[in-house]
């Protein structure tokens, strides 16, 4: 993972084949409709100016395919390695950029779950590409080298001006350091959507972004594998720190 440590991101190509991408894409479309039917808005102008993004939260609630993705055997070994073997699923959401979508504010995700300084990588994303993603259709944009910033004061006045797009084919996964500063890209295409799923992982001592106890139904929780229940905070709770004290 030398490239990841150097750049703060790396692309895992061809994690999903065409049929698997289509299945996930169909599940996402159904999830967006189900979210709206529950009264949970999928348009959030305070995040996405212009109203041309569709966001879906609590993905694991809506279809088993999302539980499969967040525990995918081609991805989890990298996540576990990069988070020192101690991970939790803090959030799993979708952002679909429709033609005409605009960029949100620049940010790093680790700052949403812990204060500065960010001297250690405690969080990361696995970004699932359900469409071919490029600059034209709104690829996520990142600021090179910004995963080394430790404080807000390290961020340039206009971070977006130096950002570059992640580009990857449908079925790929972009692994991204949680400290890397980024934003959603503008979809300047005429007809192309850009669907991304963001699996946000964090070290287990950090409070989750999502309250899975509240957002997952009893039926969903019952069908989840034990390992995922632990990662969602639905099992015994945080047992990763201080456990050595119980050893004889």
């Amino acid at each position: 993972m030398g490239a990841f440590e150097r750049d703060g991101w790396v692309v895992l190509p061809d994690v999903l084949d065409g049929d698997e991408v289509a299945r996930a894409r169909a599940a996402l479309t159904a999830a967006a409709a189900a979210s709206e039917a529950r009264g949970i808005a999928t348009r959030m102008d305070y995040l996405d100016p212009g109203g041309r993004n569709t966001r879906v939260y609590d993905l694991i609630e809506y279809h088993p395919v999302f539980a499969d993705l967040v525990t995918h055997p081609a991805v989890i070994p990298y996540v576990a390695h990069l988070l020192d073997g101690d991970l939790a699923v803090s959030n799993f959401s979708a952002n679909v950029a429709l033609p005409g979508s605009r960029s949100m504010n620049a940010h790093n995700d680790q700052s949403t779950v812990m204060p500065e300084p960010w001297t250690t990588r405690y969080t990361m994303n696995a970004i699932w590409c359900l469409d071919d993603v490029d600059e034209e259709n709104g690829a996520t944009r990142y600021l090179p080298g910004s995963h080394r910033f430790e404080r807000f004061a390290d961020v340039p006045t206009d971070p977006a001006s130096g950002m570059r797009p992640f580009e990857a084919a449908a079925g790929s996964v972009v692994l991204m350091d949680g400290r890397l500063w980024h934003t959603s890209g503008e979809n300047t295409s005429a007809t192309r959507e850009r669907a991304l799923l963001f699996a946000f992982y964090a070290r287990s001592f950090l409070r989750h972004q999502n309250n899975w106890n509240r957002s997952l139904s009893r039926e969903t929780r019952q069908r989840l594998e034990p390992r995922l229940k632990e990662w969602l905070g639905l099992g015994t709770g945080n047992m990763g720190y201080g456990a050595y004290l119980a050893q004889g």
Side-chain angles (χ1 to χ4, degrees):
M1 298 301 287
F4 183 93
E5 297 292 354
R6 182 189 68 233
D7 300 329
W9 65 278
V10 71
V11 176
L12 304 179
D14 304 319
V15 178
L16 300 180
D17 62 28
D19 290 341
E20 290 170 324
V21 170
R23 179 173 181 251
R25 199 68 164 83
L28 176 56
T29 299
S35 178
E36 289 284 353
R38 294 181 180 195
I40 304 172
T42 58
R43 301 293 174 91
M44 301 178 183
D45 288 344
Y46 69 94
L47 282 179
D48 307 303
R52 296 294 294 164
N53 289 74
T54 299
R55 289 184 179 266
V56 186
Y57 294 94
D58 314 324
L59 286 176
I60 294 170
E61 171 66 14
Y62 294 110
H63 196 285
V65 69
F66 299 118
D68 294 340
L69 295 181
V70 83
T71 59
H72 199 286
V75 175
I76 285 298
Y78 293 104
V79 176
H81 171 73
L82 292 166
L83 294 182
D84 293 333
D86 170 41
L87 67 96
V89 178
S90 186
N91 207 343
F92 194 21
S93 64
N95 183 352
V96 182
L98 305 174
S101 69
R102 292 154 52 191
S103 293
M104 65 187 300
N105 290 336
H107 61 286
N108 85 48
D109 291 335
Q110 188 152 310
S111 70
T112 68
V113 293
M114 65 173 292
E116 56 185 18
W118 312 296
T119 56
T120 302
R121 178 178 55 250
Y122 286 143
T123 65
M124 64 174 293
N125 275 288
I127 307 172
W128 293 83
C129 302
L130 301 188
D131 294 303
D132 292 338
V133 177
D134 52 49
E135 186 165 19
E136 182 191 51
N137 74 339
T140 298
R141 300 180 64 81
Y142 71 98
L143 183 63
S146 60
H147 60 302
R148 299 187 184 93
F149 295 168
E150 295 184 359
R151 300 178 182 276
F152 288 109
D154 297 333
V155 183
T157 303
D158 182 16
S161 65
M163 288 185 174
R164 303 174 187 172
F166 292 125
E167 298 198 340
S172 301
V173 174
V174 180
L175 300 180
M176 183 178 73
D177 192 308
R179 299 168 296 173
L180 190 70
W181 284 76
H182 63 283
T183 185
S184 53
E186 296 185 1
N187 187 339
T188 60
S189 73
T191 59
R192 299 170 60 210
E193 295 185 0
R194 183 234 63 191
L196 299 175
L197 310 180
F198 291 83
F200 184 52
Y201 300 91
R203 295 284 294 271
S204 66
F205 64 87
L206 292 172
R207 182 178 179 178
H208 293 180
Q209 280 187 337
N210 193 6
N211 183 347
W212 296 109
N213 275 292
R214 179 179 180 274
S215 62
L216 297 182
S217 64
R218 178 178 299 179
E219 292 75 19
T220 296
R221 282 179 277 173
Q222 287 176 339
R223 63 173 165 76
L224 299 178
E225 61 169 291
R227 179 182 61 164
L228 181 52
K229 287 182 179 179
E230 290 293 333
W231 290 349
L232 296 171
L234 303 176
T236 56
N238 182 1
M239 300 296 289
Y241 292 85
Y244 65 91
L245 296 175
Q247 298 175 1

